[in-house]
Each structure stands twice: as structure tokens, then as C-alpha cells.
Amino acid sequence: MAQEVVFDLCVVGAGPGGYVAALRAAEHGMTVAIIDARQTPGGVCLNEGCIPSKALLDSSEFYQLVRDKAAHHGVLVDGVGLDLKGMMTRKQDVVQRLTDGISFLFKKQKVVSITATVTEITKTEAGFDLLTTDPLYPKIAATKVLLATGSRPVELPVAPFDGERIVSSTQALSLNQVPSHLVVIGGGYIGLELGSVWKRLGSAVTVIEALPRIIANSDTSMSATIQRSLKKQGMVIKTSTRLESVDLQADRIVLRTVFNDVCEEIQCDCLLVAVGRKPNTEGLGLSVLGVNVNAQGRIDVDNDFMTSVEGLYAIGDIVPGPMLAHKASEEALVCIERMVGNAVLDVRYDLIPGVVYTWPEGASVGLTEEQLKASGRSYRKGSSSVIANGRAKAMDEHEGQVVLLADDATGELLGMHIVAPRASEMIAEGVAALRFKATVHDIGFLFHAHPSLSEVIKEAALTMIADR
Ligand code: NAI
């Protein structure tokens, strides 16, 4: 009888946590299998999240620029129109090129990629057995297992997804017509990004947010500026507002919302529910294995990302921390390096940048002013506006600012909060500055190319050291 193959590592889930881990482990010489129920690797991020949403954000931005701004730049375009099908095809093409790239890397690194659902994981003498739905690989044996199964959208009991009129973030990336009125429940990352896409493509968009402000855990400077900007673009944003009921009628959806005990009826033709995501930890037999799952459904892990079961690891959305692709990938790298015995630094959870890809974009890293106030620590604050920046003027962009927060005594940077065009690129400077404990003096006297948007960061730092 043929000897059973025992992989050094079996990764469950091929998203930005799982595929990064699988490739890194293979680079270190481990034999690796990766299992995912999806046909294509890349998880939610590549297939139905970060990448397709950015493809649509870029396309819709392009459409809006040509429609609304080209003439101002002296570019005359006749008959601007929308080919939604063409836009969706381009989005799929972007996704496919990236997922093909990962499949190519799997082949190159000899990672065995299996399309199947894992139905059970059991402990064995060699490590683990994973039962799968693939008839070719019904059982995979591995010394170590890494879970990277990600998360899925939370459903509201009053508004269950039907995929056509009440949609999740995934479904809102593939609507086959532009809604007349899209109502978005949840003023977080997904709600504002997808709301922006459909607003630019012609929908009336109303955002309903239960909390007093949108992107509620960001610095107030950021959420206030983005809210003002989105309102100026025509988005209706209703904060401190609760969704009470949803009535699906033949020709419309009738929503009842409550603000300050006052009821309002809103009619729309499409409802996007974007109220957060929940971890995929069910169906793997984790409780039988003895894996500790906390009250939020997240798996507790130690510094090496090992669960309460020896040899079983977990990373990404299923472990505590923000549900972000770059957080999962970072955990993947550190987990594998530790697994092969390399001494690497811990994942710096205090330095995870957050970006909301509205226009202008919002990006931040480090502590917010609210957190500093709550901690009682003495801090300094400096800011500079995008409106005074030469590159922004050339781009015809006026909105946004950079806010810096620093320790009052030493000037060490504690937080950077940017609203600006391409803030997603600018924030890398903040991550590096915090990582290397830069002061506002360091940033203020650092070369920034002229003209560039990054000069707003330098200007903000200079305002903090002018009188010191
Ligand atoms: P989120 O947690 O960012 O925002 C959800 C919002 O919905 C919150 O502001 C919450 O107060 C509100 N909410 C919850 N229940 C509500 C109700 N019944 N009525 C009205 N408002 C309600 O979650 P989101 O936007 O769904 O994103 C999910 C995850 O995906 C997040 O963890 C986010 O970090 C990640 N993500 C990140 C992106 C990025 O980095 N650019 C883009 C998209 C998603």
C-alpha cells in the first residue's frame, strides 16, 4: 500500500492570510497543501472585496472625472456614457489576472492547491487529518495546520440578503443596473466605498448609520471631513439613525428608520447592508478539537499564532484584531517565520494603517485624539490643509488635511490622520515614522518632493515646531 503523504503544513483558506502563509512556508522548504472552497485563490479580498471594489472605485472615479471635470481641464469629450457591463468585465479581468498570478506562484513553489471544503479536522499521531469534500483528496494529513478561513458579511434579521434588492458587499459589486436610490445600512468602510461607487455612477445614495458619526473609530477630524465631503458630493448621510423595519413591496423597498424617537419612511430600489463581518469558524469541528473560541467568535492564539491545540495555528479575520487584508498577511509572515524558528518581531498591532477609499481618501495610523484624551497623556496637535498644496491645486483638488498628534514633551509622533487624494499612499510615511519613533522635528526636516501631496505632512509637522 502506498505510503500516506503527510504535508509539513496544511493551510485552510487561500485569502491574503492563507496564500501568503502557504507561499512563505514553501519558500522555507516546507511541503504545503492549501485548501479553499473557492475555485480561485485570493479569498474575499481578491475575489469579492478589496480588489474588485477598488477596480470599481477607480472606474467610477474615471467616469465621474470625464463627465464632470474634463471640460474644466480644457478636455472636451462628446457623449460621455456608461457601459456598466464593460466596467464589470474590466473588474473581473483585474481580479482574474491577480488570482491567476497566485495560482502561478502556487505551481512555482510546489504548493498543492485543493478546491474543497474542509468538513472536519482531527488530531492524529502525525499531527492532523483534514476531511474534505474533494473526492481526489478526501483526507489530507499534515504535521501542522494553519486556519485562515476569513469572515463573511453580517446579516440583519430585518433585512436578510436576497442577492438582488437586499444585497451584501459582495453582491453590491456586481449589480447589473445602476439603482435609482441605493440605501446603505452602515457608515463604515464598505458602506462608504460602495456607496461612493454607485453615487458616481448615478444613483441617489442614502447612508444610515446607527452611531453619531461615520467611520466611528477613526479620528473625529477624519470622519468629519469625509462626511462633509461626501455630503457635498450629494450623498445623504443620516447618523444616530436606526433601521426599524424593511417592507419589500413589488415595485419598491420601504424602510422605517428612527432618529431621536422620530420615525421616517424611506423608499428605495436597492438596500446594501454593510454592518460588519463575522469570522468563519464554524463547521471545522473546532470545539471537538478543543480550540478556544472567545465570545466574539474569534480564536484565541498565542504570540506564535498557535491556538489552544498544539500544532494548530490561526491568523486573519478569525483571530482578534481589525479585519483587514494587510493585517492577515502580516500575521501570516510572522507566523511562518516563527514556525521555522526565525526570531522575528511581533506583529505591531498599534501600527496597522486603516484606509477608507472614498474621494478624497481617508487614511490613519496610530492613536486618535479621542484615545489620547481618554488616556490623559499630554499631546500636541498640528495640521495642514490640502487646499494650500501645489500638487493638489494642479490636480484641482481642495479638500482634506493632515492631522499629526505627538507627545507633548518629546515630540514623538503618536498618530497621523490624513484626508487627501491618495491618502492610502501617503500613510506609508506615517507607518514608517511611528515604527522608527520619529519626532515631528524629524518629519518637518525630512525632504518631501515638490510638488507632492506628501508636503502636507511636512507642513503639518512644521506647524508643531515653529515656536519650539
Ligand atoms: P464596519 O465595522 O467598518 O462598519 C459598519 C458600520 O455599521 C458601523 O459604523 C456600525 O455602527 C454600523 N451599524 C451596525 N449595525 C447597524 C444598524 N443596524 N443600523 C445602522 N448602522 C449600523 O463594517 P463594514 O463596513 O461592513 O466592513 C467590514 C470589515 O471589512 C471591517 O472590519 C473593515 O475593516 C473591513 N473593510 C476594510 C476596508 C478597507 O480597509 N478599505 C474596505 C472594506 C471592508
Coordinates of all heavy atoms in Angstrom, one line a residue, residues 54 156 185-191 193 208-211 213-216 241-243 274-277 322-324 326 354-357, ligand 1:
K54 N -11.9 48.2 -5.4 CA -11.0 49.2 -5.9 C -11.1 49.4 -7.4 O -11.0 50.5 -7.9 CB -9.6 49.0 -5.4 CG -9.2 49.7 -4.1 CD -9.7 49.1 -2.9 CE -10.9 49.6 -2.2 NZ -11.3 48.9 -1.1
L156 N -28.7 41.4 8.8 CA -29.6 41.9 9.7 C -30.9 41.1 9.7 O -31.4 40.9 8.6 CB -29.9 43.4 9.4 CG -28.8 44.4 9.7 CD1 -29.3 45.8 9.3 CD2 -28.5 44.4 11.2
I185 N -27.0 50.6 4.7 CA -27.1 50.5 6.2 C -25.7 50.3 6.6 O -25.0 49.2 6.3 CB -28.0 49.3 6.7 CG1 -29.4 49.4 6.0 CG2 -28.1 49.4 8.2 CD1 -30.2 50.6 6.3
G186 N -25.1 51.2 7.4 CA -23.8 51.1 7.9 C -22.8 52.1 7.2 O -22.5 52.0 6.1
G187 N -22.4 53.1 8.0 CA -21.5 54.1 7.5 C -20.0 53.8 7.9 O -19.3 54.6 8.4
G188 N -19.7 52.5 7.6 CA -18.3 52.1 7.8 C -17.5 52.1 6.5 O -18.0 52.7 5.5
Y189 N -16.4 51.3 6.4 CA -15.6 51.2 5.3 C -16.4 50.8 4.0 O -16.4 51.5 3.0 CB -14.5 50.2 5.5 CG -13.4 50.7 6.5 CD1 -13.6 50.6 7.8 CD2 -12.2 51.2 6.0 CE1 -12.7 50.9 8.7 CE2 -11.2 51.5 6.9 CZ -11.5 51.4 8.3 OH -10.5 51.8 9.2
I190 N -17.1 49.7 4.1 CA -17.8 49.1 3.0 C -18.9 50.0 2.5 O -19.0 50.3 1.3 CB -18.3 47.7 3.3 CG1 -17.1 46.8 3.5 CG2 -19.2 47.2 2.2 CD1 -17.4 45.3 3.8
G191 N -19.7 50.5 3.5 CA -20.8 51.3 3.1 C -20.4 52.6 2.3 O -21.0 52.9 1.3
E193 N -17.5 53.2 0.8 CA -16.8 52.9 -0.5 C -17.8 52.5 -1.6 O -17.8 53.0 -2.7 CB -15.7 51.8 -0.3 CG -14.6 52.3 0.5 CD -13.5 51.3 0.8 OE1 -13.5 50.2 0.1 OE2 -12.6 51.5 1.6
I208 N -27.4 55.1 6.2 CA -28.0 55.1 7.5 C -26.9 54.6 8.5 O -26.5 53.4 8.4 CB -29.2 54.2 7.6 CG1 -30.2 54.5 6.4 CG2 -29.9 54.2 9.0 CD1 -31.0 55.7 6.6
E209 N -26.5 55.3 9.5 CA -25.5 54.9 10.5 C -26.1 55.0 11.9 O -26.6 56.1 12.2 CB -24.2 55.8 10.3 CG -23.2 55.6 11.4 CD -22.7 54.2 11.6 OE1 -22.3 53.5 10.7 OE2 -22.8 53.8 12.8
A210 N -26.0 53.9 12.6 CA -26.5 53.9 14.0 C -25.8 54.8 14.9 O -26.4 55.4 15.8 CB -26.5 52.5 14.5
L211 N -24.5 55.0 14.8 CA -23.7 55.8 15.7 C -23.7 57.3 15.3 O -24.1 57.6 14.2 CB -22.2 55.3 15.7 CG -22.1 53.8 16.2 CD1 -20.6 53.4 16.1 CD2 -22.5 53.7 17.7
R213 N -21.5 59.2 14.3 CA -20.7 59.7 13.2 C -20.2 58.5 12.3 O -20.2 57.3 12.8 CB -19.4 60.5 13.6 CG -18.5 59.8 14.6 CD -17.5 60.8 15.2 NE -16.5 60.1 16.0 CZ -15.3 59.7 15.7 NH1 -15.0 59.9 14.4 NH2 -14.5 59.2 16.5
I214 N -19.9 58.8 11.1 CA -19.5 57.7 10.2 C -18.0 57.3 10.6 O -17.3 58.0 11.3 CB -19.6 58.1 8.7 CG1 -18.7 59.4 8.4 CG2 -21.0 58.2 8.3 CD1 -18.6 59.7 6.9
I215 N -17.5 56.1 10.0 CA -16.2 55.5 10.4 C -15.9 55.9 11.8 O -14.9 56.6 12.1 CB -15.1 55.9 9.4 CG1 -15.3 57.2 8.7 CG2 -14.9 54.8 8.4 CD1 -14.2 57.7 7.8
A216 N -16.8 55.4 12.7 CA -16.8 55.9 14.1 C -15.5 55.7 14.9 O -15.2 56.5 15.8 CB -18.0 55.3 14.8
T241 N -29.1 57.1 13.5 CA -30.3 56.6 13.0 C -30.4 55.1 12.9 O -29.4 54.4 12.5 CB -30.5 57.2 11.5 OG1 -30.4 58.6 11.6 CG2 -31.8 56.8 10.9
R242 N -31.5 54.6 13.4 CA -31.7 53.1 13.5 C -32.6 52.6 12.4 O -33.6 53.3 12.1 CB -32.3 52.7 14.8 CG -31.3 52.3 15.9 CD -31.9 51.6 17.1 NE -33.4 51.6 17.2 CZ -34.1 52.5 17.9 NH1 -33.5 53.4 18.5 NH2 -35.4 52.4 17.9
L243 N -32.3 51.5 11.9 CA -33.2 50.8 10.9 C -34.2 50.0 11.7 O -33.8 49.1 12.5 CB -32.5 50.0 9.9 CG -33.3 49.2 8.9 CD1 -34.0 50.1 7.9 CD2 -32.5 48.1 8.2
A274 N -24.3 46.8 5.2 CA -22.8 46.7 5.4 C -22.5 47.1 6.9 O -22.1 48.2 7.2 CB -22.1 47.7 4.5
V275 N -23.0 46.2 7.7 CA -22.9 46.5 9.2 C -21.8 45.6 9.9 O -21.8 45.4 11.1 CB -24.2 46.2 9.9 CG1 -25.3 47.2 9.4 CG2 -24.7 44.8 9.6
G276 N -20.8 45.2 9.1 CA -19.7 44.5 9.7 C -19.6 43.0 9.2 O -20.4 42.6 8.3
R277 N -18.6 42.3 9.6 CA -18.4 41.0 9.2 C -18.2 40.0 10.4 O -17.9 40.5 11.4 CB -17.1 40.9 8.3 CG -17.2 41.8 7.1 CD -15.9 41.7 6.2 NE -15.7 40.4 5.7 CZ -16.3 40.0 4.5 NH1 -17.1 40.8 3.8 NH2 -16.1 38.7 4.1
P322 N -8.4 44.0 13.9 CA -9.2 44.5 12.8 C -9.2 43.5 11.7 O -8.3 42.8 11.4 CB -8.5 45.8 12.4 CG -7.1 45.8 13.0 CD -7.2 44.9 14.2
M323 N -10.4 43.5 11.0 CA -10.5 42.5 9.9 C -10.0 43.2 8.6 O -10.7 43.7 7.8 CB -12.0 42.1 9.7 CG -12.5 41.2 10.8 SD -14.2 40.7 10.5 CE -14.4 39.5 11.8
L324 N -8.7 43.2 8.4 CA -8.0 43.8 7.3 C -7.1 42.9 6.6 O -6.4 42.1 7.3 CB -7.2 45.1 7.8 CG -8.1 46.2 8.3 CD1 -7.2 47.2 9.0 CD2 -8.9 46.8 7.3
H326 N -4.2 43.4 5.1 CA -2.8 43.6 5.4 C -2.5 43.1 6.8 O -1.3 42.7 7.0 CB -2.3 45.0 5.1 CG -3.2 46.1 5.7 ND1 -4.3 46.5 5.0 CD2 -3.1 46.9 6.8 CE1 -4.9 47.5 5.7 NE2 -4.1 47.8 6.8
G354 N -5.2 52.2 8.6 CA -6.6 52.0 8.1 C -6.9 53.0 7.0 O -6.5 54.1 7.1
V355 N -7.5 52.5 5.9 CA -7.8 53.4 4.8 C -9.2 53.2 4.4 O -9.7 52.1 4.3 CB -6.9 53.0 3.6 CG1 -7.2 53.9 2.4 CG2 -5.4 53.1 3.9
V356 N -9.9 54.4 4.1 CA -11.2 54.3 3.5 C -11.1 55.0 2.2 O -10.7 56.1 2.0 CB -12.3 54.9 4.4 CG1 -12.1 56.3 4.8 CG2 -13.7 54.8 3.8
Y357 N -11.4 54.2 1.1 CA -11.2 54.6 -0.3 C -12.3 55.4 -0.9 O -12.8 55.1 -1.9 CB -10.9 53.4 -1.2 CG -9.6 52.7 -0.8 CD1 -9.5 51.8 0.3 CD2 -8.4 53.0 -1.5 CE1 -8.3 51.2 0.6 CE2 -7.2 52.4 -1.1 CZ -7.2 51.5 -0.1 OH -6.0 50.9 0.3
Ligands
NAI1 P1 -17.6 48.5 9.7 O1 -17.5 47.9 11.1 O2 -16.4 49.2 9.2 O3 -18.8 49.5 9.7 C1 -20.1 49.0 10.0 C2 -21.0 50.2 10.4 O4 -22.3 49.8 10.5 C3 -20.6 50.8 11.8 O5 -20.3 52.1 11.7 C4 -21.8 50.4 12.7 O6 -22.0 51.4 13.7 C5 -22.9 50.5 11.6 N1 -24.1 49.7 12.0 C6 -24.1 48.4 12.6 N2 -25.4 48.0 12.7 C7 -26.2 49.0 12.2 C8 -27.6 49.1 12.1 N3 -28.4 48.1 12.5 N4 -28.1 50.3 11.5 C9 -27.2 51.2 11.1 N5 -25.8 51.1 11.2 C10 -25.3 50.0 11.8 O7 -18.0 47.3 8.8 P2 -18.0 47.1 7.2 O8 -18.0 48.5 6.6 O9 -19.2 46.2 6.9 O10 -16.7 46.4 6.9 C11 -16.4 45.1 7.4 C12 -15.0 44.9 7.7 O11 -14.3 44.9 6.4 C13 -14.4 45.9 8.5 O12 -13.7 45.3 9.6 C14 -13.4 46.7 7.7 O13 -12.2 46.9 8.4 C15 -13.1 45.7 6.5 N6 -13.0 46.5 5.3 C16 -11.9 47.3 5.1 C17 -11.8 48.1 4.0 C18 -10.6 48.9 3.8 O14 -9.6 48.7 4.5 N7 -10.7 49.9 3.0 C19 -12.8 48.1 3.0 C20 -13.9 47.2 3.2 C21 -14.0 46.5 4.4

